[in-house]
Amino acid sequence: MSAPALFTTPAEGFTSARFAQHLSQRGYLPAWWLETKKAAWNQFLALPLPSRTDETWRFSNLKGLDLDGYHVPEEPSQQIPHHTDFPQAAEIVFSNRQVVARSTISAELAAKGVIFAPLDEALRNHGDLVRQYYQKHPTNLGSEKFVALNTALSVAGGFLYVPADVEIALPLVIQHTLSGNNVSMFPHTIVVLGPRAKATLVEFFISGGAESERQFVSGVNDLHASEGAQLTYVGAQNWSRATLAFQTNSIAVERDARVLSLNLHLGGRQSRHESHSRLLGPGAHSEMLALTVASGEREFDQRTLQTHIAPHTTSNLLYKNALLDSAKTIFSGLIIVEPDAQQTDAYQKNRNLMLSDTAEAHSLPGLEIQANDVKCSHGSTSARIDAEQEFYLQARGIKPVEARRLLVSAFFEEVLNKLDDENLHAALTGLIASQFKR
Amino acid sequence: MPSLEIRDLFVALAATPDKPIVKGLTLTILTGEVHAIMGPNGTGKSTLSKAIAGHPDYVITSGDVLLDGKSILEMEPDQRARAGIFLAFQYPSEIPGVTIANFVRAAVQARLAEGEDLDATAYYKRLYSKMDLLKIDRKFTSRSVNEGFSGGEKKRCEILQMAMLEPTFALMDETDSGLDIDALRIVAEGVEAMRGDKLGVMLITHYQRLLDYIVPDFVHVMYDGRIVKSGDKTLALELEAKGYDWVKQELAAATTA
Ligand SMILES: Nc1ncnc2c1ncn2[C@@H]1O[C@H](COP(=O)(O)OP(=O)(O)OP(=O)(O)O)[C@@H](O)[C@H]1O
Ligand SMILES: [Mg+2]
């Protein structure tokens, strides 16, 4: 019954008319893609909004899932904050779904067959390659309706393809900025690393305008590491205070490959992140990391799944939340070890640092083990910020906000230290620090 | 002349405000002066110094603390520190993940005007020179604050912070405990170098030997939350020889008389 409520503003909102218009403007794209979009649109219409009885939405604020009145901007914004001031191999900057700036990869990398392009361009020039990996391993942790909407309306996003044995030392960067009131965005990024390839992709998701701008985002990414590949993916979001955001992350790791994903969550009114790692071949490893600074009345909802399909695979999840004010975090994680996945090592840890008595941290760790020779552990801890440490810092003249910033940074260091790239580390530290300026 | 004035101060734990630990203590410290405070365990020496620094565990139930004639009781701990009060902790906190360099830097930065940026090169030059003076290995800059430090290293680090922040009044709570003889001399020399006429010191100690190096202008005996006897440096020698029972007996005689 809730679906029709989405269509109260006929000219705006996610209407079938709006979708038809979107589709008609994209006749230049491959037919399979347009068919995929149509199917996704129908799926979006058919799927209900999450309800109280959905276990995957436990503790979430369902009243906040209001999709009314958003429109899909066709014009880039004039306000484009820049957060990517560090050495990089190439960059694509989207503003309100349009590419507004772009630097290309070196001729040397291009000659080796590396592709780094906006999704739209990749669909035109490398459609078959994109098709091979597009939602090959979907993440089904509760946001299927919003993922369907992403597929139906996505324009922005990137495609990174690194052929076998090619290593890219510097990070590739995609920046998405969204500006305007009631605007929405549906980025989809696909990363494919061939055998033994190595690369780092960093995606920034930033609101460009006023903190009060109401925005809606549903983003998706598909990360694929072929045999022996090493992929580092960093996603950092700093949405406006009134943004409703979804991001789903699919991580497929083949034999002896290694993926490190780190998601930094700073903004949004309500933001949900789903991440699913699949360990597909022996020796595969997935390092799943997340850092959240939850302030104000924001809600951060994180749902994860580590599926061990092949034997001798490892995964390590460490999600750290720093909670201030009246913010709320939800962590719900599951490790599944399938019957064939003997000799699995799987860890899952959620740590919450409470900086306020009115903040709320929910933690729902879980294990489902179908093999008998495995090492698994999961756990969650919540600790109040150490009052003696806080006093010690203040007794040196350090202001309370700065003292908290230092203690939160110290808490996050364990995660940030897993990044090899020092400049990237510094960029993320800077973004985190910006949350403590009052 | 800058002054730190403690007037008839009563301090209790915030949880038990009706049970004072410091019970009517009065003391005035001027810059250039060193006041040694000695007294048995549990008489409230640390409570006094932490309350002056603004520790949230304690409440001041009556009396006042004035810096240059103005009460500091309404000020937050960080404001008191920036106003020139420095507490060298008896038990400094360990802060894993915050390096000495970043910690001291944040403290120095906090004293700059809004929008003014710290000159990193000058900062490190100064930090290293103070470390050399205090014979602290420069490698310590990248270590987490006090984490895994020996007792003596922690105390030396307190003095390093004091040297970097140049307070007007230092409350040094048993800075000598845990120091070996060489470290004691180094630390004492560090304090003496800062002393001049710009620094006033409240020096809490149990041992006369520190006072051989930092010669006090006054020695006070604190007992049961009060100063019960004051004198010059010879009082410390007398205490060392006779112990506190002597003071307690004198006190008992005075109250029954
Ligand atoms: N935070 C606290 N919680 C409980 N009791 C406290 C606290 N702080 C002080 N006290 C009590 O107050 C009294 C004075 O303690 P304080 O630490 O000030 O003594 P001190 O003179 O510094 O002793 P020492 O010479 O052993 O360092 C003691 O009985 C102590 O147990
Ligand atoms: Mg003490």
Side-chain angles (χ1 to χ4, degrees):
Chain A
M1 277 319 287
S2 45
L6 304 180
F7 308 111
T8 49
T9 37
E12 309 267 44
F14 308 124
T15 62
S16 290
R18 182 67 192 80
F19 172 68
Q21 190 196 351
H22 171 83
L23 210 58
S24 70
Q25 291 164 345
R26 281 165 182 83
Y28 58 89
L29 292 175
W32 70 267
W33 170 247
L34 301 178
E35 286 309 313
T36 304
K37 276 177 165 291
K38 273 188 223 163
W41 177 255
N42 288 330
Q43 198 194 1
F44 166 70
L45 292 182
L47 285 170
L49 275 171
S51 76
R52 267 284 144 247
T53 51
D54 291 338
E55 187 57 24
T56 54
W57 289 82
R58 221 175 137 200
F59 296 119
S60 306
N61 172 22
L62 299 181
K63 288 200 190 76
L65 307 178
D66 165 21
L67 305 188
D68 269 353
Y70 292 105
H71 63 89
V72 189
E74 295 295 349
E75 289 297 318
S77 159
Q78 301 306 311
Q79 300 152 300
I80 302 157
H82 212 256
H83 287 270
T84 57
D85 237 0
F86 53 87
Q88 49 195 254
E91 178 185 35
I92 304 171
V93 180
F94 292 94
S95 169
N96 291 357
R97 316 190 309 152
Q98 316 287 328
V99 176
V100 290
R102 185 175 173 186
S103 65
T104 47
I105 50 170
S106 67
E108 191 196 340
L109 288 175
K112 287 179 179 165
V114 174
I115 302 165
F116 182 54
L119 183 61
D120 201 66
E121 183 184 305
L123 280 163
R124 267 179 291 155
N125 300 340
H126 313 279
D128 289 343
L129 197 54
V130 175
R131 185 177 193 178
Q132 218 181 311
Y133 294 98
Y134 185 85
Q135 286 285 278
K136 185 176 180 185
H137 300 286
T139 298
N140 296 322
L141 296 173
S143 289
E144 292 77 357
K145 184 178 179 74
F146 308 108
V147 172
L149 188 60
N150 170 284
T151 304
L153 295 174
S154 69
V155 177
F159 181 69
L160 171 64
Y161 177 79
V162 186
D165 298 302
V166 176
E167 294 192 6
I168 307 177
L170 292 173
L172 295 129
V173 177
I174 300 175
Q175 180 180 308
H176 303 276
T177 64
L178 190 56
S179 304
N181 202 30
N182 290 325
V183 293
S184 60
M185 187 167 75
F186 305 93
H188 194 135
T189 288
I190 300 164
V191 181
V192 180
L193 261 53
R196 297 163 307 278
K198 187 174 176 185
T200 297
L201 180 80
V202 186
E203 249 182 319
F204 289 94
F205 303 91
I206 312 275
S207 290
E211 271 293 303
S212 59
E213 282 179 354
R214 178 177 182 265
Q215 299 173 343
F216 176 84
V217 184
S218 176
V220 176
N221 59 52
D222 297 319
L223 311 179
H224 196 108
S226 309
E227 184 173 336
Q230 290 184 55
L231 169 64
T232 298
Y233 173 87
V234 174
Q237 70 91 339
N238 192 11
W239 296 123
S240 81
R241 173 157 44 73
T243 296
L244 172 63
F246 299 91
Q247 180 75 28
T248 69
N249 214 174
S250 163
I251 302 167
V253 199
E254 294 192 44
R255 173 186 280 268
D256 296 327
R258 180 189 162 87
V259 175
L260 181 152
S261 57
L262 194 171
N263 289 284
L264 174 65
H265 308 287
L266 302 174
R269 165 174 63 81
Q270 183 170 352
S271 67
R272 177 166 166 123
H273 192 270
E274 296 178 6
S275 193
H276 185 176
S277 282
R278 288 175 176 87
L279 290 310
L280 300 167
H285 176 77
S286 181
E287 189 82 15
M288 299 169 78
L289 307 169
L291 297 174
T292 305
V293 179
S295 64
E297 304 201 324
R298 295 181 166 91
E299 174 178 307
F300 295 88
D301 190 355
Q302 304 176 88
R303 312 275 164 165
T304 67
L305 181 53
Q306 294 151 266
T307 310
H308 289 258
I309 297 159
H312 293 284
T313 51
T314 55
S315 67
N316 183 27
L317 178 148
L318 178 58
Y319 275 32
K320 289 193 166 190
N321 300 322
L323 290 97
L324 298 90
D325 310 322
S326 301
K328 173 173 155 188
T329 60
I330 303 155
F331 169 78
S332 172
L334 183 63
I335 297 173
I336 295 179
V337 182
E338 295 196 349
D340 289 343
Q342 299 295 357
Q343 259 129 31
T344 285
D345 273 10
Y347 303 100
Q348 181 201 89
K349 226 185 295 165
N350 166 222
R351 290 177 167 279
N352 300 309
L353 179 67
M354 312 299 292
L355 292 101
S356 155
D357 291 332
T358 48
E360 250 182 78
H362 300 275
S363 200
L364 300 161
L367 285 177
E368 201 180 298
I369 301 175
Q370 296 151 13
N372 50 29
D373 182 14
V374 302
K375 262 195 260 166
C376 287
S377 80
H378 65 93
S380 76
T381 57
S382 282
R384 195 149 181 4
I385 191 165
D386 187 309
E388 283 303 321
Q389 292 179 348
E390 231 181 338
F391 177 67
Y392 190 65
L393 292 163
Q394 289 176 28
R396 296 297 173 252
I398 298 169
K399 292 176 182 142
V401 226
E402 176 66 3
R404 291 176 152 224
R405 185 192 69 77
L406 281 167
L407 293 176
V408 169
S409 301
F411 175 61
F412 283 173
E413 213 43 33
E414 177 187 7
V415 168
L416 289 173
N417 279 343
K418 298 198 184 203
L419 289 177
D420 295 330
D421 190 309
E422 277 185 26
N423 297 307
L424 183 54
H425 185 148
L428 297 184
T429 303
L431 255 180
I432 293 164
S434 70
Q435 302 301 301
F436 290 86
K437 291 212 176 89
R438 275 187 220 176
Chain B
M1 182 180 286
S3 63
L4 181 68
E5 230 182 305
I6 306 161
R7 274 194 201 154
D8 199 19
L9 198 71
F10 282 76
V11 182
L13 282 171
T16 50
D18 49 337
K19 284 194 204 136
I21 298 169
V22 175
K23 305 168 182 172
L25 188 138
T26 297
L27 177 67
T28 298
I29 304 173
L30 303 177
T31 47
E33 294 177 353
V34 172
H35 292 249
I37 297 201
M38 306 182 82
N41 296 129
T43 46
K45 302 181 296 296
S46 294
T47 301
L48 171 69
S49 58
K50 285 198 265 181
I52 296 171
H55 195 291
D57 280 359
Y58 303 98
V59 282
I60 289 169
T61 52
S62 82
D64 209 345
V65 179
L66 304 113
L67 184 64
D68 301 339
K70 276 192 294 206
S71 176
I72 60 164
L73 297 189
E74 292 301 313
M75 292 162 76
E76 296 298 326
D78 60 305
Q79 296 172 319
R80 296 182 195 194
R82 291 196 302 277
I85 293 173
F86 182 91
L87 170 61
F89 287 73
Q90 182 175 4
Y91 303 110
S93 282
E94 300 187 2
I95 313 183
V98 178
T99 62
I100 290 283
N102 285 342
F103 172 62
V104 177
R105 188 186 175 131
V108 173
Q109 174 84 51
R111 285 158 173 81
L112 301 179
E114 200 72 44
E116 191 183 340
D117 267 328
L118 187 94
D119 175 347
T121 321
Y123 162 72
Y124 273 102
K125 212 175 146 205
R126 206 168 141 247
L127 182 65
Y128 286 147
S129 82
K130 306 280 185 200
M131 290 179 88
D132 294 350
L133 226 59
L134 291 164
K135 300 210 165 49
I136 301 172
D137 193 325
R138 291 185 180 192
K139 285 199 200 87
F140 270 67
T141 48
S142 58
R143 284 184 62 175
S144 288
V145 174
N146 294 323
E147 191 187 28
F149 286 22
S150 74
E153 285 166 349
K154 283 183 185 170
K155 295 305 172 75
R156 252 188 275 189
C157 226
E158 293 291 288
I159 301 306
L160 171 66
Q161 293 162 38
M162 184 172 148
M164 288 298 288
L165 300 177
E166 298 178 335
T168 325
F169 291 99
L171 316 171
M172 304 178 64
D173 193 355
E174 295 196 26
T175 303
D176 52 336
S177 57
L179 292 181
D180 63 40
I181 296 292
D182 290 339
L184 185 74
R185 196 171 45 237
I186 292 162
V187 162
E189 279 167 12
V191 175
E192 280 296 318
M194 283 178 254
R195 192 167 169 181
D197 57 359
K198 289 202 179 65
L199 175 72
V201 179
M202 184 171 106
L203 192 69
I204 297 170
T205 182
H206 287 295
Y207 304 106
Q208 147 65 27
R209 61 168 195 181
L210 175 67
L211 306 180
D212 287 340
Y213 297 105
I214 306 176
V215 182
D217 300 291
F218 304 93
V219 174
H220 309 279
V221 181
M222 187 165 168
Y223 179 67
D224 194 25
R226 265 177 296 253
I227 287 174
V228 294
K229 196 173 180 66
S230 296
D232 62 11
K233 62 182 180 187
T234 57
L235 178 57
L237 293 167
E238 215 172 336
L239 285 170
E240 184 102 327
K242 299 189 193 166
Y244 289 115
D245 281 346
W246 156 66
V247 181
K248 289 182 203 171
Q249 279 156 18
E250 247 189 33
L251 196 65
T255 41
T256 49

